[in-house]
């Protein structure tokens, strides 16, 4: 369904080049969920926007391929992309109040998605909007369709965004932090809804989150991202029961637990240090300055991804990853090599 190869999205600022997404590769099959996880600022949302070719200036896709249903989206013009966004690929954004227009009813906004991609009457589009609201378990959809976003709860607004994304029956759904700011009960309902809709419509789902609990509950495969790169990629059970990268292990240790073996009380563990500045990435592995297993060779150059076991990939010198000399892309060279 979707295959991303060596995707690179850079932001060209007055201070220098920010490598927000730097050589990312992954794939998602129909009916499967890939969880993209990592700290805030690691490049998860920019990856999602890159897939839809919605990266805001001064950001540009400078390299790589986005193969969707056999077509390289990086080579399409804007008119062709408009036919794909919303129809074949759709996205659920983080904040429903920012994503929804406050002066239009939610039913009208869902119907607009239908009118933008299909030749149907306004009445038929509105009926499909109501049917999709019913599909995502919004109670009394006929009445709610005439409500404005501020008249709905956070959970209902999130369901409206899901209805808007799915009303044209896309093949790929991108969910960027779909449970942000929702309480635990509503969060569970939204996740169950996404799982049911994925199975019902055989969607390929890219789930972006920093919550490992959500990943454990929902994902089939997991890509762990750090400083614009995927540093570990594996089936979900491998990530939780056999993590190989020191950063992945650190994330798992940071998850709060109600109890520990033997009933002892422990302080919440943390990963020492801070996330590197993407404007001034250190040579070698970007996690080296925070890594408890760091070796001198970790600072020598770019660390390659290797396959440790079937479908389990890791980018770590301690696990046998090779090093290649790091090539810096200058500002002028970067601008001339941009691709849209």
């Amino acid at each position: 369904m979707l295959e991303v190869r060596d995707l690179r999205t850079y932001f060209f600022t007055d201070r220098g080049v920010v490598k927000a997404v730097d050589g990312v590769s992954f794939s998602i099959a129909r009916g499967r969920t890939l969880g993209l996880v990592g700290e805030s600022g690691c490049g998860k949302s920019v990856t999602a926007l890159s897939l839809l070719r919605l990266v805001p200036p001064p950001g540009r896709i400078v390299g790589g391929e986005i193969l969707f249903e056999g077509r390289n989206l990086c080579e399409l013009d804007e008119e062709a992309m408009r036919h794909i966004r919303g129809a074949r690929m759709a996205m659920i954004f983080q904040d429903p109040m920012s994503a929804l227009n406050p002066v239009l009813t939610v039913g009208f906004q869902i119907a607009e998605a239908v009118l933008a991609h299909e030749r149907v009457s306004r009445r038929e589009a509105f009926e499909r909007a109501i049917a999709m609201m019913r599909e995502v378990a919004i109670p009394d959809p006929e009445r709610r369709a005439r409500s404005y976003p501020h008249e709905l709860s956070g959970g209902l607004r999130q369901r409206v965004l899901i209805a808007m994304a799915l009303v044209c029956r896309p093949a790929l759904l991108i969910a960027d932090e779909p449970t942000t700011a929702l309480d635990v009960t509503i969060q569970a309902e939204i996740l169950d809804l996404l799982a049911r809709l994925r199975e019902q419509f055989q969607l390929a789902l890219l789930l972006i989150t920093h919550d490992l609990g959500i990943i454990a509950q929902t994902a089939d495969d997991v890509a762990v991202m750090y400083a614009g790169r995927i540093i570990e990629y594996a089936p979900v059970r491998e990530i939780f029961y056999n993590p190989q990268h020191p950063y992945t292990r650190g994330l798992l240790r940071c998850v709060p637990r109600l109890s520990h073996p033997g009933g002892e009380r422990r302080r919440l563990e943390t990963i020492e240090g801070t996330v590197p500045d993407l404007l001034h990435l250190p040579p070698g592995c970007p996690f080296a300055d925070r890594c408890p297993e760091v070796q001198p060779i970790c600072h020598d150059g770019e660390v390659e991804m290797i396959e440790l076991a079937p479908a389990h990939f890791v980018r770590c010198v301690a696990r046998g990853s090779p090093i290649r000399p790091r090539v810096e892309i200058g500002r002028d060279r970067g601008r001339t090599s941009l691709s849209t």
Side-chain angles (χ1 to χ4, degrees), residues 48-80:
L49 293 175
S50 299
L51 298 182
L52 293 168
R53 296 261 308 274
L54 289 175
V55 180
R60 299 269 186 94
I61 297 174
V62 302
E65 296 178 313
I66 304 170
L67 303 176
F68 177 66
E69 296 184 327
R71 305 171 73 185
N72 185 0
L73 302 187
C74 294
E75 298 176 349
L76 301 183
D77 59 28
E78 185 57 29
E79 181 65 25

Side-chain angles (χ1 to χ4, degrees), residues 282-285 288 295-303 317 323-327:
C285 175
Q295 303 174 21
I297 195 175
C298 296
H299 298 284
D300 287 350
E302 293 190 11
V303 184
V317 171
I323 294 282
R324 65 181 172 90
R326 186 174 181 83
V327 177

Side-chain angles (χ1 to χ4, degrees), residues 54-266:
L54 289 175
V55 180
R60 299 269 186 94
I61 297 174
V62 302
E65 296 178 313
I66 304 170
L67 303 176
F68 177 66
E69 296 184 327
R71 305 171 73 185
N72 185 0
L73 302 187
C74 294
E75 298 176 349
L76 301 183
D77 59 28
E78 185 57 29
E79 181 65 25
M81 277 304 302
R82 276 198 292 267
H83 290 295
I84 292 176
R85 291 192 207 104
R88 302 302 300 157
M89 299 174 66
M91 183 168 176
I92 304 170
F93 292 91
Q94 286 190 29
D95 183 7
M97 282 304 287
S98 298
L100 294 171
N101 191 323
V103 299
L104 299 175
T105 63
V106 296
F108 179 83
Q109 294 184 63
I110 298 172
E112 267 194 324
V114 180
L115 294 170
H117 296 285
E118 300 182 27
R119 293 179 178 274
V120 297
S121 66
R122 290 185 175 274
R123 179 171 181 174
E124 182 179 346
F126 195 75
E127 290 174 351
R128 283 181 55 178
I130 292 175
M132 197 67 235
M133 291 176 71
R134 185 177 295 109
E135 198 74 55
V136 299
I138 294 177
D140 195 4
E142 291 82 1
R143 180 173 65 87
R144 294 293 188 184
R146 292 172 172 78
S147 300
Y148 292 89
H150 71 273
E151 296 177 309
L152 304 179
S153 67
L156 287 180
R157 286 195 294 265
Q158 194 64 274
R159 289 171 189 267
V160 168
L161 282 186
I162 296 173
M164 190 182 303
L166 295 180
V167 70
C168 291
R169 297 290 193 267
L172 172 67
L173 179 63
I174 303 169
D176 188 4
E177 300 279 5
T179 58
T180 298
L182 299 179
D183 62 51
V184 176
T185 303
I186 302 301
Q187 173 178 295
E189 292 178 358
I190 295 297
L191 293 176
D192 288 344
L193 173 63
L194 287 175
R196 177 176 64 80
L197 293 173
R198 181 199 65 176
E199 183 175 349
Q200 179 179 345
F201 300 126
Q202 280 298 289
L203 294 168
L205 175 61
L206 175 61
L207 179 63
I208 299 172
T209 182
H210 63 273
D211 191 327
L212 290 172
I214 291 176
I215 292 294
Q217 177 182 345
T218 311
D220 298 303
D221 304 291
V222 183
V224 182
M225 200 165 183
Y226 185 80
R229 300 178 183 180
I230 291 177
I231 50 88
E232 188 161 4
Y233 186 100
V236 65
R237 288 186 60 85
E238 283 290 300
I239 289 292
F240 281 89
Y241 292 105
N242 188 31
Q244 291 297 310
H245 198 282
Y247 177 65
T248 308
R249 294 175 177 176
L251 286 180
L252 292 170
R253 286 196 301 268
C254 292
V255 176
R257 290 172 172 80
L258 294 177
S259 62
H260 292 274
E264 60 179 307
R265 300 179 64 181
R266 297 182 186 176

